[in-house]
Amino acid sequence: MSSVAVLTQESFAEHRSGLKDVEITGSVPEDEAYIPTYLEAFPPLPDKSTPGEKTGEPAGAWSKIRPIKASVITQVFHVPLEERRYKDNSQFGEGEEAKVCLDIMQKTGAHIELSLAKDQGLSIMVTGKLDSVMKARKEIVARLQTQASATVLIPKEHHRFVIGKNGEKLQELELKTATKIAIPRSDDPNANIRITGTKDGIEKARHEIQLISAEQDKRAVERLSFEKAFHPFISGAYNRLVQELSQETGARISIPPPSVPKDEIVITGEKEAVAMAIARIRAIYEEKKRKTTTISVEVKKSQHKYIVGPKGNTLQEILENTGVSVEMPPLDSASETIILRGEPDKLGPALTQVYAKAKSVIVVEVIAPAWLHRFIIGKKGQNIGRITQQLPKVHIEFTDGEERISLEGPTEEVEQAQAQMQEIIKDLMARMDYAEINIDHRFHRHLIGKNGANINRIKEQYKVSVRIPQDSERCGLVRIEGDPQGVQLARKELMDMAQRMENERTKDLIIEQKFHRSIIGQKGEKIKEVRDKFPEVIIIFPDQQQKSDIVQLRGPKNEVEKCAKFLQKLIAELVESSFSISVPIHKQFHKNIIGKGGANIKKIREETNTKIDLPMENSNSEMIVITGKKSSCEAARDRILAIQRELCFFECTSSSVLIFQDDVIEDSLVVDPRHHRHFVCRRGQVLRELAEEYGGVAVSFPRTGTQSDNITLKGPRECVDAAKKRIQEIVQELVSFISSPCINIACKCKYLRALLYLWLAAQEPASQENGDTDLIPRKCDIIIVTGRAEKCELARAALLALVPVTIDVEVSYDLHRYIIGQKGAGIRKMMEDYEVNIWVPQPEQQSDIIKITGQVASVERAKQGLLQRVKELQAEQEDRALRSYKVTLSVDPKYHPKIIGRKGAVISQIRKDYDVNVQFPDKGDEQQVYWLKKNANEARAAIEQLVAALQDMVSEDIRLDRRVHARIIGARGKAIRKLMEEFKVDIRFPQPGSEDPSKVTVTGLPENVDNAIDHLLNLEEEYVSWECRTADDNKALAKGFVVRDAPWNAQGNKAPDMSSAEEFPTFGSGIAPKQTSAWGPKKC
């Protein structure tokens, strides 16, 4: 009889395809039933010979074998909840875990997918080339899984074998075990190797390092291959048995951990110890293989974790108690079958323990309305806290937006918790109710009130909970929850408040910001009085930083009008009492005006009832500001000026002190007394100029009231003569001044102050040319100009040019608010640009006249600017009127998505092309209407044309094998979008959970639909046939590969044992085969 060998390596298919040419050359028939010979399937390697020498057909066959291509692999591994670095599941897919995965994918080029298991563990699938997958896995374990560390002790001389050439072995080991291995330096006496990583990774790395050390150890090394299922019996519960064997024999026994798919046990040590350990292990294996049997049970996958227990302790406990090994399916497997292996009489108790562990924790769901969840939880979790304190092993989970509540824990405690939860729900349903009302979101902040005053009052009064949506949601739905009676009363009050607010009126008052603080008063006392007088009116002042003059009143119409009139009256009184004038007083006299202890200034303030503000001592300003009523301010000003005049006169007379020297002479000069004032006024400025210019000459004028016209000059002769001559010139100029008649200029009193300051500022550079002017404003409309005739005329012309004028401009009342602008910004800008004052009548006057006051040129420019602004506003009104045109169009709702287009592309293009606004009806409306503004008819025609095209479309349903749906759709829908664009149709696939999962709907023009359906059916046929071929190939590969005329067919030989390490040795092994193999002698 002949024997055959079955090879199950999937990669052999690639190997065989490389020999196809050889098979054809040898005229071997291409038939699936054909069995190749051993030499055809495995041609021998060519012998070493001279280069260029032909080695025959076998060498040519090997040369034609195609190289093995790099393949894409997929690895799946699980990270338990207790080992996860990031445990926040609220941002799963968006938090740190997702960022780490994206970073790793960019670095390694591997594809990573995360999923969250029911036990909150993390399942990670990594796809890519082998090298990329290993690097990505190492990065993932290091960054997503909590790290532990352990040390392994091997001889120092073995470290270099762990590192390998250029560190390649160490890198490979780190990638393979996803750990970080730190090997001490050669000059470091410490021989411990530190391993950092996950628990499984550390175990794998320790195992591999011990293997490397054992291979390099001069002591004996033996490898035993036993089925993985019997390893637990050899290691014993909690590894106690293998530890006892190691202690008794003195040999080191390395059993691969359960997570490593190896069945090889390595024993190292002294030869006698190794032989003793092998004998003991073989005895255990033979005994267990002979006595044990297996049973399989089905347990829900979700309960497996409770059988395994934390870190596999439950499995070890069952093994210790019953001597039965429990074999669990891999975590990434869908299998629910658990295998129990042990002696027949012990399988029953072990099975009982397995079922007990599986049922020790259950998951139940309690149904309760979602709105009740927060009441079930209670304030700060009080209600749910009582249950969890009594039953700490029960985990309760609420799902947002869903009615189910999950309870997980021991069976008895979960049943108790379930009963308590149902009792709480029943009680809440009996005494709780809710109501929903729709209130315009604009009124929500008024319902809430200042600092929540209104809503808090309603909550406390009716013992209810009111949920008002955020402003950003722009939703009007208000939800009330609580006692049924309280809910209805709160609902009624909220509806009444909303109705009142709808009837309210809002009015804006223009009040200068400087008066706001006066109206509010200290600590809000004055505004509180106003609010108490008009309790139904809400008064809102703008923030100081806004610098706005608009004060808003809101409330019932009549009350708002009364409050507005009251505030206007209050403002008028404030304006009257806020008249202010500035008085220039020499800085040196300020202390005299204040008086000792502030006596003078206090007396003036009390007697005139004004507010007087003096500049700070370190300020350069000389202006004293008086505020109050006009008459009172003028009285206070006169009193302050009187004090200054007295001080000036004293200073001037005191300057007549003489300094006698040998070369000083004294002379006199006659000057008309009416001109004396010119020399001593303005703090004696003319006298100081004479002294500075003529060598310090001292000029003394007679005291006031003596009626003397003789003045005295003292100083050096030359200086006295020059000063005397200059005084005569000044007197001559004063004589030439016109004193009577005067030039009179008519001007209203309210413009005098501003007019004089403007004119003086403009004429300051030419003051010496025009001569001195004595301008003191009086309470009349006449300005008197005194000076030389020609200069007086020039001054008169300049002053007349500065006299403000007021003109009326007629502007429609409807446009006033647009001219004023938001918070008065428009009118302020015009006044600043044109340097005028613009007065707009109050809204209640409904007047069309706007007054402009200012200089003639500025007023004219402001008038033109205002008229131009009116033209712009009128043009805007006309444009709005054109845009208000609307057209209605009825369209079947089923066409709405097509008209809108993908992400609104179609409707956006229509809006852009025709400059229109298109509005769709709300769902549930009977009439479907499109509102179109401006160019409406053209847009309507475009939509009707689009609808007509849609009405010509047909929809047909076809059934496609659901296995090919994903292939037709393609990655992220690229393939299906390409098909829809090519055939100009719309293709809809069924949703997950659909009643008919094979139904596919195609919509479009009849011809396009037929073409698309034909194409889809062709794709289905092609994909299904490919799936069948793939399945057949897989079946064929599963059967293995059979060869004829193998070496073991000869008499006396036997087929090699593929499970034997001797027949199929591992590369690098130092074990010599015990017998000659059927494969023939080795070639060096």
Side-chain angles (χ1 to χ4, degrees):
M1 292 180 65
S2 62
S3 59
V4 297
V6 180
L7 307 179
T8 58
Q9 290 84 350
E10 295 179 358
S11 61
F12 192 77
E14 185 76 16
H15 169 77
R16 184 186 178 191
S17 64
L19 300 175
K20 195 171 292 184
D21 296 339
V22 179
E23 294 173 358
I24 295 172
T25 305
S27 300
V28 179
E30 288 282 327
D31 191 352
E32 292 182 358
Y34 173 72
I35 300 177
T37 65
Y38 180 80
L39 290 177
E40 291 173 345
F42 300 98
L45 292 172
D47 294 331
K48 293 182 179 179
S49 59
T50 307
E53 182 181 348
K54 294 185 179 179
T55 56
E57 187 65 23
W62 279 106
S63 64
K64 294 183 180 180
I65 295 178
R66 291 185 296 176
I68 297 176
K69 298 179 180 178
S71 59
V72 175
I73 66 168
T74 299
Q75 282 194 4
V76 179
F77 54 98
H78 185 74
V79 180
L81 174 63
E82 58 270 14
E83 295 184 10
R84 285 179 57 187
R85 188 182 296 274
Y86 306 104
K87 299 182 180 180
D88 184 10
N89 295 332
S90 61
Q91 295 183 343
F92 182 73
E94 299 178 358
E96 292 296 327
E97 289 177 339
K99 293 179 182 177
V100 169
C101 289
L102 286 174
D103 185 42
I104 294 172
M105 285 194 289
Q106 291 177 355
K107 287 182 178 179
T108 63
H111 179 70
I112 303 173
E113 293 184 9
L114 298 180
S115 63
L116 196 63
K118 194 169 183 180
D119 62 353
Q120 305 302 311
L122 199 63
S123 294
I124 305 172
M125 184 171 70
V126 186
T127 305
K129 298 295 180 68
L130 177 62
D131 185 52
S132 300
V133 169
M134 299 305 289
K135 290 180 180 178
R137 182 180 177 185
K138 180 183 176 183
E139 287 283 333
I140 289 171
V141 168
R143 298 172 67 177
L144 293 185
Q145 196 167 358
T146 54
Q147 303 291 293
S149 63
T151 59
V152 57
L153 180 63
I154 63 172
K156 190 79 172 179
E157 58 269 15
H158 294 174
H159 286 190
R160 61 191 183 93
F161 299 103
V162 177
I163 297 173
K165 186 178 180 180
N166 297 325
E168 293 177 357
K169 184 68 177 178
L170 180 61
Q171 293 177 7
E172 179 186 354
L173 188 58
E174 288 182 337
L175 288 176
K176 184 177 179 181
T177 61
T179 58
K180 178 66 177 177
I181 303 173
I183 299 177
R185 297 171 59 88
S186 58
D187 54 356
D188 189 347
N190 183 19
N192 286 323
I193 297 176
R194 178 168 292 278
I195 308 170
T196 305
T198 63
K199 182 181 177 184
D200 289 343
I202 290 173
E203 290 296 330
K204 293 177 185 178
R206 180 190 282 118
H207 178 69
E208 293 292 336
I209 291 172
Q210 288 174 348
L211 286 179
I212 294 171
S213 178
E215 288 176 359
Q216 302 302 325
D217 200 328
K218 293 181 180 180
R219 295 177 295 176
V221 178
E222 290 290 340
R223 288 181 171 82
L224 300 178
S225 293
F226 297 131
E227 290 89 338
K228 190 80 174 176
F230 293 95
H231 286 192
F233 299 107
I234 298 171
S235 60
Y238 303 105
N239 291 325
R240 291 172 186 164
L241 182 56
V242 73
Q243 291 173 5
E244 291 176 0
L245 286 175
S246 295
Q247 290 176 359
E248 291 175 5
T249 62
R252 184 190 300 172
I253 304 172
S254 177
I255 299 176
S259 57
V260 177
K262 288 184 178 181
D263 56 6
E264 188 177 68
I265 299 175
V266 180
I267 307 169
T268 60
E270 298 295 333
K271 292 184 178 180
E272 294 179 0
V274 169
M276 189 183 304
I278 290 174
R280 294 284 299 276
I281 292 172
R282 284 189 184 276
I284 295 171
Y285 170 71
E286 295 296 339
E287 179 186 2
K288 293 298 180 182
K289 191 172 184 180
R290 184 177 65 256
K291 292 183 178 182
T292 59
T293 184
T294 62
I295 60 171
S296 301
V297 293
E298 297 290 331
V299 179
K300 287 185 178 180
K301 191 76 174 179
S302 60
Q303 303 301 111
H304 285 194
K305 60 182 179 179
Y306 307 119
I307 299 173
V308 176
K311 299 181 180 179
N313 287 337
T314 304
L315 296 178
Q316 298 295 330
E317 180 184 344
I318 295 172
L319 179 61
E320 183 180 25
N321 294 337
T322 64
V324 175
S325 170
V326 181
E327 300 172 20
M328 306 296 296
L331 291 174
D332 55 353
S333 171
S335 174
E336 296 183 343
T337 303
I338 297 176
I339 300 174
L340 280 73
R341 188 182 303 272
E343 297 178 9
D345 58 335
K346 296 181 180 178
L347 288 175
L351 183 60
T352 302
Q353 289 194 29
V354 168
Y355 277 123
K357 295 297 182 182
K359 294 182 179 179
S360 63
V361 177
I362 62 172
V363 178
V364 299
E365 291 183 354
V366 179
I367 304 301
W371 66 272
L372 268 184
H373 286 189
R374 62 194 190 91
F375 297 101
I376 296 171
I377 296 171
K379 189 175 182 181
K380 297 183 179 179
Q382 291 179 353
N383 296 344
I384 209 69
R386 285 195 289 268
I387 297 176
T388 54
Q389 287 175 4
Q390 296 174 4
L391 308 168
K393 295 182 180 180
V394 178
H395 174 70
I396 304 174
E397 181 178 356
F398 291 81
T399 306
D400 291 338
E402 296 183 10
E403 296 186 345
R404 61 186 180 87
I405 304 171
S406 299
L407 285 76
E408 181 180 358
T411 305
E412 295 180 0
E413 293 192 6
V414 166
E415 290 175 353
Q416 294 179 27
Q418 183 181 10
Q420 293 184 27
M421 290 286 289
Q422 289 174 343
E423 186 177 348
I424 292 173
I425 293 168
K426 184 178 178 181
D427 177 64
L428 289 173
M429 292 292 290
R431 61 183 179 84
M432 297 290 289
D433 193 8
Y434 76 93
E436 293 180 345
I437 55 177
N438 204 338
I439 299 176
D440 195 324
H441 68 275
R442 296 176 302 165
F443 303 140
H444 287 183
R445 62 192 183 96
H446 307 304
L447 292 179
I448 296 171
K450 187 175 182 180
N451 297 326
N454 295 344
I455 204 67
N456 289 336
R457 178 184 58 79
I458 293 173
K459 288 179 181 179
E460 293 175 1
Q461 183 176 351
Y462 301 113
K463 307 299 180 185
V464 295
S465 173
V466 184
R467 303 185 70 182
I468 298 176
Q470 297 290 333
D471 291 341
S472 58
E473 298 178 17
R474 304 188 69 81
C475 174
L477 193 64
V478 178
R479 187 183 181 93
I480 310 169
E481 299 169 352
D483 179 72
Q485 184 177 0
V487 167
Q488 295 303 320
L489 293 174
R491 179 180 180 277
K492 182 177 183 301
E493 182 166 345
L494 288 174
M495 292 294 291
D496 292 341
M497 291 174 66
Q499 188 173 3
R500 285 199 305 270
M501 281 184 281
E502 288 178 354
N503 297 329
E504 283 183 349
R505 180 188 172 187
T506 300
K507 183 172 183 178
D508 294 340
L509 287 181
I510 306 299
I511 302 176
E512 290 184 37
Q513 193 180 28
K514 64 181 180 180
F515 296 129
H516 291 184
R517 183 176 294 180
S518 302
I519 296 172
I520 294 172
Q522 189 175 7
K523 297 183 180 179
E525 293 178 355
K526 293 185 178 180
I527 196 63
K528 184 179 179 182
E529 294 176 2
V530 178
R531 285 173 174 156
D532 292 342
K533 189 172 184 178
F534 304 96
E536 296 182 4
V537 179
I538 299 174
I539 305 173
I540 303 173
F541 286 87
D543 189 80
Q544 290 185 354
Q545 297 178 353
Q546 296 179 357
K547 297 183 179 180
S548 173
D549 297 335
I550 297 178
V551 177
Q552 191 179 75
L553 308 179
R554 187 179 65 252
K557 182 178 180 180
N558 295 334
E559 292 297 316
V560 167
E561 291 297 333
K562 291 179 182 178
C563 184
K565 290 181 180 178
F566 179 84
L567 288 176
Q568 288 172 349
K569 182 178 178 182
L570 184 62
I571 294 163
E573 294 176 359
L574 288 173
V575 170
E576 183 181 359
S577 62
S578 64
F579 179 80
S580 177
I581 58 176
S582 298
V583 183
I585 300 297
H586 305 314
K587 190 75 175 179
Q588 64 195 63
F589 299 150
H590 285 192
K591 60 182 180 180
N592 303 94
I593 291 172
I594 295 172
K596 188 175 183 180
N600 293 349
I601 197 69
K602 184 176 180 182
K603 183 178 180 181
I604 296 173
R605 284 171 178 166
E606 291 176 352
E607 293 179 358
T608 60
N609 193 24
T610 57
K611 178 183 177 184
I612 303 174
D613 296 321
L614 286 86
M616 301 296 291
E617 289 183 359
N618 55 358
S619 173
N620 295 325
S621 175
E622 296 183 348
M623 304 301 291
I624 296 178
V625 180
I626 307 172
T627 305
K629 292 186 178 181
K630 184 177 180 180
S631 56
S632 301
C633 290
E634 291 174 349
R637 179 196 61 190
D638 294 339
R639 295 186 61 170
I640 291 173
L641 289 174
I643 295 173
Q644 179 180 238
R645 281 195 295 270
E646 292 176 4
L647 294 171
C648 285
F649 176 77
F650 177 76
E651 182 180 278
C652 291
T653 54
S654 63
S655 65
S656 59
V657 178
L658 302 179
I659 301 175
F660 293 97
Q661 297 178 357
D662 295 339
D663 57 346
V664 173
I665 66 169
E666 181 177 342
D667 197 357
S668 62
L669 181 66
V670 176
V671 176
D672 194 326
R674 63 175 179 167
H675 300 313
H676 290 188
R677 184 173 180 274
H678 173 75
F679 291 93
V680 298
C681 69
R682 297 194 302 280
R683 288 185 266 175
Q685 181 179 352
V686 177
L687 295 179
R688 287 197 299 272
E689 290 175 355
L690 289 172
E692 291 173 0
E693 186 176 355
Y694 300 107
V697 64
V699 182
S700 300
F701 283 82
R703 294 183 178 275
T704 306
T706 59
Q707 299 298 324
S708 172
D709 57 0
N710 192 34
I711 64 173
T712 305
L713 291 82
K714 293 182 180 180
R717 181 179 298 277
E718 295 178 356
C719 294
V720 167
D721 293 341
K724 185 176 179 181
K725 183 178 180 182
R726 177 57 185 152
I727 291 172
Q728 290 174 344
E729 292 176 356
I730 293 173
V731 170
Q732 186 62 34
E733 292 177 358
L734 292 173
V735 171
S736 64
F737 282 1
I738 298 174
S739 58
S740 180
C742 300
I743 296 179
N744 298 336
I745 302 173
C747 177
K748 291 185 178 181
C749 288
K750 64 179 180 179
Y751 301 138
L752 288 180
R753 183 176 182 82
L755 179 63
L756 290 173
Y757 276 115
L758 288 172
W759 181 76
L760 288 173
Q763 297 299 320
E764 185 176 357
S767 60
Q768 293 299 327
E769 290 184 24
N770 294 349
D772 185 38
T773 57
D774 188 7
L775 300 176
I776 301 176
R778 300 178 184 179
K779 297 179 182 179
C780 65
D781 293 344
I782 302 298
I783 299 174
I784 300 175
V785 183
T786 303
R788 294 183 181 180
E790 65 274 12
K791 300 298 182 182
C792 287
E793 289 296 335
L794 293 175
R796 179 176 180 276
L799 287 171
L800 288 175
L802 297 174
V803 174
V805 297
T806 300
I807 63 172
D808 294 341
V809 181
E810 186 173 354
V811 177
S812 176
Y813 167 74
D814 297 335
L815 301 178
H816 287 190
R817 60 194 182 102
Y818 301 110
I819 293 172
I820 294 173
Q822 187 177 12
K823 298 180 180 179
I827 198 71
R828 280 200 300 273
K829 187 175 185 304
M830 292 185 69
M831 289 192 290
E832 291 173 0
D833 292 346
Y834 299 111
E835 297 180 353
V836 296
N837 182 39
I838 302 176
W839 179 83
V840 180
Q842 295 294 330
E844 56 268 14
Q845 296 180 6
Q846 296 189 355
S847 172
D848 294 341
I849 301 301
I850 294 178
K851 296 182 179 296
I852 304 175
T853 302
Q855 298 179 26
V856 177
S858 300
V859 166
E860 189 59 32
R861 287 191 295 108
K863 178 181 178 181
Q864 297 301 324
L866 181 60
L867 294 176
Q868 181 63 31
R869 177 61 178 156
V870 170
K871 290 180 181 179
E872 294 175 358
L873 293 173
Q874 289 174 345
E876 291 177 4
Q877 283 185 334
E878 293 175 359
D879 185 61
R880 282 196 294 270
L882 291 175
R883 289 179 177 271
S884 64
Y885 181 71
K886 62 183 178 182
V887 176
T888 61
L889 179 63
S890 295
V891 177
D892 194 324
K894 68 181 180 181
Y895 298 133
H896 288 187
K898 297 294 183 183
I899 295 173
I900 294 172
R902 180 178 174 84
K903 296 183 179 179
V906 177
I907 198 64
S908 297
Q909 190 62 37
I910 292 174
R911 287 171 174 155
K912 181 179 179 182
D913 293 344
Y914 300 103
D915 190 18
V916 297
N917 181 24
V918 184
Q919 297 180 357
F920 285 83
D922 295 331
K923 291 183 179 179
D925 291 354
E926 296 181 359
Q927 185 75 5
Q928 286 74 38
V929 181
Y930 292 86
W931 299 87
L932 308 163
K933 303 177 181 180
K934 193 179 181 184
N935 302 331
N937 292 325
E938 296 178 7
R940 176 179 181 175
I943 292 179
E944 287 176 341
Q945 183 179 356
L946 183 59
V947 172
L950 293 173
Q951 289 173 345
D952 293 339
M953 293 183 178
V954 296
S955 293
E956 290 192 21
D957 296 336
I958 61 172
R959 279 167 176 75
L960 299 178
D961 193 325
R962 59 182 178 181
R963 293 178 298 172
V964 305
H965 286 190
R967 287 181 172 272
I968 294 174
I969 293 172
R972 298 184 179 178
K974 290 183 180 179
I976 195 63
R977 283 199 296 272
K978 186 177 179 182
L979 278 178
M980 290 193 290
E981 292 175 1
E982 180 180 353
F983 293 99
K984 293 184 171 43
V985 295
D986 181 62
I987 304 173
R988 298 291 176 185
F989 287 84
Q991 295 293 330
S994 174
E995 296 180 358
D996 189 355
S998 301
K999 180 181 176 181
V1000 179
T1001 304
V1002 185
T1003 305
L1005 296 176
E1007 183 179 355
N1008 295 342
V1009 169
D1010 293 339
N1011 294 336
I1013 290 175
D1014 291 342
H1015 185 74
L1016 289 173
L1017 293 174
N1018 291 337
L1019 288 177
E1020 180 195 28
E1021 182 179 358
E1022 179 183 345
Y1023 291 153
V1024 169
S1025 62
W1026 185 87
E1027 290 282 352
C1028 294
R1029 288 198 304 272
T1030 304
D1032 293 341
D1033 291 345
N1034 291 337
K1035 289 179 181 179
L1037 289 173
K1039 293 179 181 178
F1041 184 70
V1042 182
V1043 297
R1044 296 181 292 111
D1045 300 333
W1048 51 84
N1049 289 351
Q1051 188 175 2
N1053 292 337
K1054 64 177 182 178
D1057 183 6
M1058 296 180 63
S1059 63
S1060 172
E1062 295 177 352
E1063 299 291 346
F1064 291 90
T1066 303
F1067 288 108
S1069 173
I1071 301 176
K1074 293 183 179 181
Q1075 63 180 14
T1076 304
S1077 172
W1079 294 85
K1082 287 188 177 181
K1083 291 184 178 181
C1084 299

